[in-house]
Each structure stands twice: as structure tokens, then as C-alpha cells.
């Protein structure tokens, strides 16, 4: 009887350790990120580049909520985006809404967006693509860590 009790205790301890040991992909990338955006659209041959842009990723169970606060492009939100491990990165994808400030300064307009990219598990790098088909004939914004290269400005 004592042997059975000991075996049950060991089994329970092993199950407890295994179930608590793995961090979810969503938790690996939770944090605040700063980088630059480069926006391309059909009405201009040159991208619009902006430094010092911010993104916040918050774990939401096995998914993530993403909020981008861009100086030039306004606020973009993606609720319950997927977050899946892929090697040294976590792939994120989802759809959401962008609130883009008016060029005349009187309010903002709402646009549907798709959000895809990767964030390094160690949070050192990220590479995100945000697509807005209805803005300026189709706009694609890339968002990367660091400062914009001089060649992009």
C-alpha cells in the first residue's frame, strides 16, 4: 500500500511539472516594441517612412491582442490574433481595424486591416506586414525593429 501511495505521489508531481513547464507562444512575445514603418501605396513611387512607432502585444489565452500606435498612421488594433511558434520566432496573424487621422485634421477614418508577421521569441527582432486594401488604392505598411535605414528615408 505504501508503494502504491508513493507511486501515485510521484506520478502527480510529474504531471504537475509537465503541465506548468511550457510557456505559451502568446506569452513569449508579450511586451512593447519600438521600430519604424515604411508604407507603400499605388499613388506614390516612394514609400513613406516613419521612425519611433510603437506596438504593444498582450497575451490573451493562447492568442494575442495587438495595438499599434503609429505617429503617421494612427491606431491599429487586432484582437485575438493567432500566435504560433515557428523555430526561433512566433508567427502572428489576424485582422482588425485601423483608425487613420484625416489629412485635414478633422477626425479619422476606419479601415479594415490584415496583420501578418513574426516576432523573435527573445523579442530582439520583429517583421510585420499590415495591409489596408481600401486606403489610397491599397496600402501596405511594413513595421520592423530599430531605426529606418538611411536609404529608406
Amino acid at each position: 500500500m505504501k508503494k502504491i501511495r508513493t507511486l501515485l505521489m510521484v506520478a502527480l508531481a510529474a504531471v504537475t511539472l509537465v503541465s506548468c513547464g511550457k510557456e505559451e507562444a502568446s506569452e513569449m512575445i508579450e511586451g512593447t516594441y519600438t521600430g519604424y514603418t515604411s508604407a507603400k501605396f499605388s499613388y506614390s513611387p516612394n514609400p513613406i517612412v516613419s521612425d519611433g512607432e510603437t506596438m504593444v502585444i498582450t497575451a490573451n489565452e493562447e492568442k494575442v491582442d495587438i495595438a499599434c500606435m503609429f505617429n503617421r498612421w494612427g491606431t491599429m488594433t487586432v484582437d485575438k490574433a493567432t500566435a504560433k511558434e515557428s523555430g526561433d520566432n512566433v508567427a502572428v496573424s489576424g485582422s482588425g481595424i485601423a483608425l487613420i487621422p484625416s489629412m485635414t485634421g478633422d477626425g479619422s477614418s476606419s479601415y479594415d486591416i490584415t496583420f501578418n508577421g513574426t516576432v523573435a521569441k527573445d523579442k530582439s527582432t520583429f517583421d510585420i506586414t499590415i495591409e489596408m486594401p481600401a486606403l489610397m488604392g491599397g496600402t501596405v505598411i511594413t513595421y520592423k525593429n530599430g531605426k529606418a535605414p538611411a536609404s529608406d528615408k
Side-chain angles (χ1 to χ4, degrees):
M1 184 62 118
K2 196 171 185 178
K3 251 186 183 180
I4 292 174
R5 180 180 278 170
T6 303
L7 285 173
L8 286 174
M9 294 299 278
V10 168
L12 179 61
V15 168
T16 302
L17 287 174
V18 169
S19 66
C20 294
K22 187 160 177 13
E23 184 178 28
E24 293 290 337
S26 60
E27 294 168 341
M28 291 177 192
I29 60 170
E30 188 169 40
T32 300
Y33 299 83
T34 303
Y36 70 96
T37 56
S38 177
K40 294 180 182 179
F41 49 99
S42 61
Y43 302 139
S44 174
N46 301 318
I48 297 173
V49 179
S50 184
D51 276 318
E53 307 289 29
T54 303
M55 172 177 69
V56 176
I57 298 177
T58 307
N60 183 346
E61 298 177 8
E62 294 178 3
K63 297 190 179 280
V64 292
D65 294 335
I66 301 165
C68 299
M69 289 70 68
F70 294 155
N71 298 318
R72 184 174 300 256
W73 300 105
T75 303
M76 300 180 188
T77 56
V78 178
D79 294 331
K80 295 189 177 180
T82 60
K84 295 185 181 187
E85 282 187 72
S86 178
D88 291 335
N89 298 309
V90 174
V92 292
S93 63
S95 57
I97 299 291
L99 293 175
I100 309 292
S102 167
M103 293 177 130
T104 61
D106 58 347
S108 60
S109 297
S110 176
Y111 296 91
D112 291 332
I113 62 171
T114 57
F115 188 100
N116 293 290
T118 58
V119 179
K121 289 180 187 177
D122 66 3
K123 302 180 184 181
S124 62
T125 61
F126 56 89
D127 189 353
I128 306 294
T129 301
I130 302 165
E131 296 181 19
M132 289 182 281
L135 179 65
M136 294 188 274
T139 300
V140 177
I141 299 174
T142 56
Y143 179 49
K144 297 183 180 188
N145 58 291
K147 292 198 176 276
S151 61
D152 287 356
K153 292 183 179 181

